[in-house]
């Protein structure tokens, strides 16, 4: 389940989930989403996405507040309520049957090779 500041089986938040996944593959990332957003190299477009690239998102008018990991140019795994795989397009993460945008895509970063 979602747990702000969490990164255990008891619960995790978006940046804790990403930090844990990357750590399992030998990469050290900072804990906070704003710090993770400064890591790696920019990816120009969603069409250039590789599995493992990180998408950074906002909700409303605030700055970057959410991170997820692309598993394809159209799918992302992230922790939002629980860890889940959802569709993503140029607007952002599309949630539910009504295809509502839950998080707006700001930019994409590549951490690994």
């Amino acid at each position: 389940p979602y747990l702000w500041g969490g990164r255990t089986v008891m619960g995790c938040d978006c940046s804790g989930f990403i930090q844990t996944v990357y750590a399992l593959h030998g990469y050290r990332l900072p804990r906070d989403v704003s710090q993770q957003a400064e890591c790696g190299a920019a990816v120009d477009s969603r069409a250039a996405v590789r599995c493992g690239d990180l998408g950074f998102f906002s909700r409303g008018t605030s700055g970057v507040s959410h991170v997820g990991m692309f598993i394809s140019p159209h799918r992302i795994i992230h922790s939002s309520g629980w860890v889940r795989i959802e569709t993503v397009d140029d607007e952002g993460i599309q949630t539910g049957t009504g295809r509502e945008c839950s998080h707006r895509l700001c930019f994409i970063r590549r951490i690994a090779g």
Side-chain angles (χ1 to χ4, degrees):
Y2 181 85
L3 177 64
W4 185 80
R7 56 180 184 167
T8 70
V9 295
M10 299 303 291
C12 66
D13 63 9
C14 62
S15 55
F17 173 68
I18 295 301
Q19 185 186 44
T20 300
V21 170
Y22 267 81
L24 290 169
H25 295 279
Y27 294 92
R28 293 177 52 119
L29 288 179
R31 177 65 185 86
D32 189 66
V33 72
S34 63
Q35 296 167 324
Q36 291 176 359
E38 297 175 0
C39 296
V43 175
D44 293 333
S45 69
R46 199 172 43 81
V49 160
R50 291 189 208 153
C51 184
D53 287 348
L54 299 181
F56 292 89
F57 302 86
S58 68
R59 294 186 109 175
T61 59
S62 64
V64 172
S65 61
H66 189 68
V67 61
M69 185 175 66
F70 281 92
I71 58 176
S72 81
H74 305 284
R75 305 286 280 168
I76 197 158
I77 186 168
H78 65 123
S79 178
S80 181
W82 61 88
V83 175
R84 54 177 133 182
I85 296 172
E86 293 186 291
T87 301
V88 64
D89 63 18
D90 289 332
E91 185 179 350
I93 299 172
Q94 304 301 316
T95 301
T97 57
R99 289 298 199 218
E100 300 170 12
C101 182
S102 64
H103 299 82
R104 302 240 179 252
L105 180 62
C106 297
F107 54 88
I108 303 165
R109 307 284 292 175
R110 180 164 299 143
I111 305 300

Coordinates of all heavy atoms in Angstrom, one line a residue, residues 17-29 51-54 69-71 77 111-113:
F17 N 9.5 3.6 -3.9 CA 9.4 2.5 -4.8 C 10.5 2.5 -5.8 O 11.2 1.5 -6.1 CB 8.0 2.5 -5.4 CG 7.9 1.5 -6.5 CD1 7.9 0.1 -6.2 CD2 7.7 1.8 -7.8 CE1 7.7 -0.9 -7.2 CE2 7.6 0.9 -8.8 CZ 7.6 -0.5 -8.5
I18 N 10.7 3.7 -6.5 CA 11.7 3.8 -7.5 C 13.1 3.6 -6.9 O 14.0 2.9 -7.5 CB 11.6 5.2 -8.2 CG1 10.3 5.3 -9.0 CG2 12.8 5.5 -9.1 CD1 10.0 4.3 -10.0
Q19 N 13.4 4.2 -5.8 CA 14.7 4.1 -5.1 C 15.0 2.6 -4.9 O 16.1 2.1 -5.1 CB 14.7 4.9 -3.8 CG 16.1 4.9 -3.2 CD 16.1 5.5 -1.8 OE1 15.2 5.3 -1.0 NE2 17.1 6.4 -1.6
T20 N 14.0 1.9 -4.4 CA 14.2 0.4 -4.1 C 14.4 -0.4 -5.4 O 15.3 -1.2 -5.4 CB 12.9 -0.1 -3.3 OG1 12.8 0.6 -2.1 CG2 13.1 -1.6 -3.0
V21 N 13.6 -0.2 -6.4 CA 13.8 -0.9 -7.7 C 15.2 -0.7 -8.2 O 15.9 -1.6 -8.6 CB 12.7 -0.5 -8.7 CG1 13.1 -1.1 -10.1 CG2 11.4 -1.0 -8.2
Y22 N 15.6 0.6 -8.3 CA 17.0 0.9 -8.8 C 18.1 0.3 -7.9 O 19.1 -0.2 -8.4 CB 17.2 2.4 -9.0 CG 16.8 2.8 -10.4 CD1 15.5 3.0 -10.8 CD2 17.8 3.0 -11.3 CE1 15.1 3.4 -12.1 CE2 17.5 3.3 -12.6 CZ 16.2 3.5 -13.0 OH 15.8 3.8 -14.3
A23 N 17.9 0.3 -6.6 CA 18.9 -0.3 -5.7 C 19.0 -1.8 -5.9 O 20.2 -2.3 -5.8 CB 18.5 0.0 -4.2
L24 N 18.0 -2.4 -6.2 CA 18.0 -3.9 -6.5 C 18.9 -4.2 -7.7 O 19.3 -5.3 -7.9 CB 16.6 -4.4 -6.7 CG 15.8 -4.5 -5.4 CD1 14.3 -4.9 -5.8 CD2 16.4 -5.6 -4.5
H25 N 19.1 -3.1 -8.6 CA 19.9 -3.3 -9.8 C 21.2 -2.6 -9.7 O 21.9 -2.3 -10.7 CB 19.1 -2.8 -11.0 CG 17.9 -3.7 -11.2 ND1 18.0 -4.9 -11.9 CD2 16.6 -3.6 -10.9 CE1 16.8 -5.5 -11.9 NE2 15.9 -4.7 -11.3
G26 N 21.6 -2.2 -8.5 CA 22.9 -1.6 -8.2 C 23.1 -0.1 -8.4 O 24.2 0.4 -8.5
Y27 N 21.9 0.6 -8.5 CA 22.0 2.1 -8.7 C 21.5 2.8 -7.4 O 20.5 2.4 -6.9 CB 21.1 2.5 -9.9 CG 21.5 2.0 -11.2 CD1 21.1 0.8 -11.7 CD2 22.4 2.7 -12.0 CE1 21.5 0.3 -13.0 CE2 22.9 2.3 -13.2 CZ 22.4 1.1 -13.7 OH 22.8 0.6 -14.9
R28 N 22.2 3.8 -7.1 CA 21.9 4.6 -5.9 C 21.2 5.8 -6.4 O 21.7 6.6 -7.1 CB 23.1 4.9 -5.1 CG 23.8 3.7 -4.4 CD 25.0 4.1 -3.7 NE 24.8 5.2 -2.8 CZ 24.9 5.1 -1.5 NH1 25.4 4.0 -0.9 NH2 24.6 6.2 -0.7
L29 N 20.0 6.0 -5.9 CA 19.2 7.2 -6.2 C 18.9 8.0 -4.9 O 18.7 7.3 -3.8 CB 17.9 6.9 -6.9 CG 18.0 6.4 -8.3 CD1 16.6 6.2 -8.9 CD2 18.6 7.5 -9.2
C51 N 12.7 1.0 -21.5 CA 12.3 0.4 -20.3 C 13.3 0.8 -19.2 O 14.5 0.7 -19.3 CB 12.3 -1.1 -20.4 SG 11.7 -2.0 -19.0
G52 N 12.8 1.3 -18.1 CA 13.6 1.8 -16.9 C 13.8 3.3 -16.8 O 14.2 3.8 -15.8
D53 N 13.4 4.0 -17.9 CA 13.4 5.5 -17.8 C 12.4 5.9 -16.8 O 11.4 5.3 -16.6 CB 13.1 6.1 -19.2 CG 14.3 5.9 -20.2 OD1 15.4 5.5 -19.8 OD2 14.0 6.2 -21.4
L54 N 12.7 7.1 -16.2 CA 11.8 7.6 -15.2 C 11.0 8.8 -15.7 O 11.5 9.7 -16.4 CB 12.6 8.1 -14.0 CG 13.4 7.0 -13.3 CD1 14.2 7.7 -12.1 CD2 12.6 5.9 -12.8
M69 N 8.2 4.6 -13.3 CA 9.2 4.0 -14.2 C 8.5 3.4 -15.5 O 7.6 2.6 -15.4 CB 10.0 2.8 -13.5 CG 11.1 2.3 -14.4 SD 12.1 1.0 -13.5 CE 10.9 -0.3 -13.3
F70 N 9.0 3.9 -16.6 CA 8.4 3.4 -17.9 C 8.8 1.9 -18.1 O 10.0 1.5 -17.8 CB 9.0 4.2 -19.1 CG 8.3 5.5 -19.2 CD1 8.8 6.7 -18.7 CD2 7.1 5.6 -20.0 CE1 8.1 7.9 -18.8 CE2 6.5 6.8 -20.2 CZ 7.0 8.0 -19.6
I71 N 7.9 1.1 -18.5 CA 8.2 -0.3 -18.9 C 8.0 -0.4 -20.4 O 8.4 -1.4 -20.9 CB 7.3 -1.3 -18.1 CG1 5.8 -1.1 -18.2 CG2 7.7 -1.3 -16.6 CD1 5.0 -2.1 -17.5
I77 N 5.0 1.9 -14.4 CA 4.7 1.3 -13.1 C 5.1 2.3 -12.1 O 6.1 3.0 -12.2 CB 5.5 0.0 -12.9 CG1 5.1 -0.7 -11.6 CG2 7.0 0.1 -13.0 CD1 5.6 -2.1 -11.4
I111 N 18.4 7.1 -16.3 CA 19.4 6.9 -15.2 C 20.5 5.9 -15.7 O 21.7 6.1 -15.6 CB 18.8 6.3 -13.9 CG1 17.6 7.2 -13.4 CG2 19.9 6.1 -12.8 CD1 18.0 8.7 -13.1
A112 N 20.1 4.8 -16.3 CA 21.0 3.7 -16.7 C 21.2 3.7 -18.2 O 20.3 3.9 -18.9 CB 20.4 2.4 -16.2
G113 N 22.5 3.5 -18.6 CA 22.9 3.4 -19.9 C 22.0 3.7 -21.0 O 22.0 3.8 -22.1

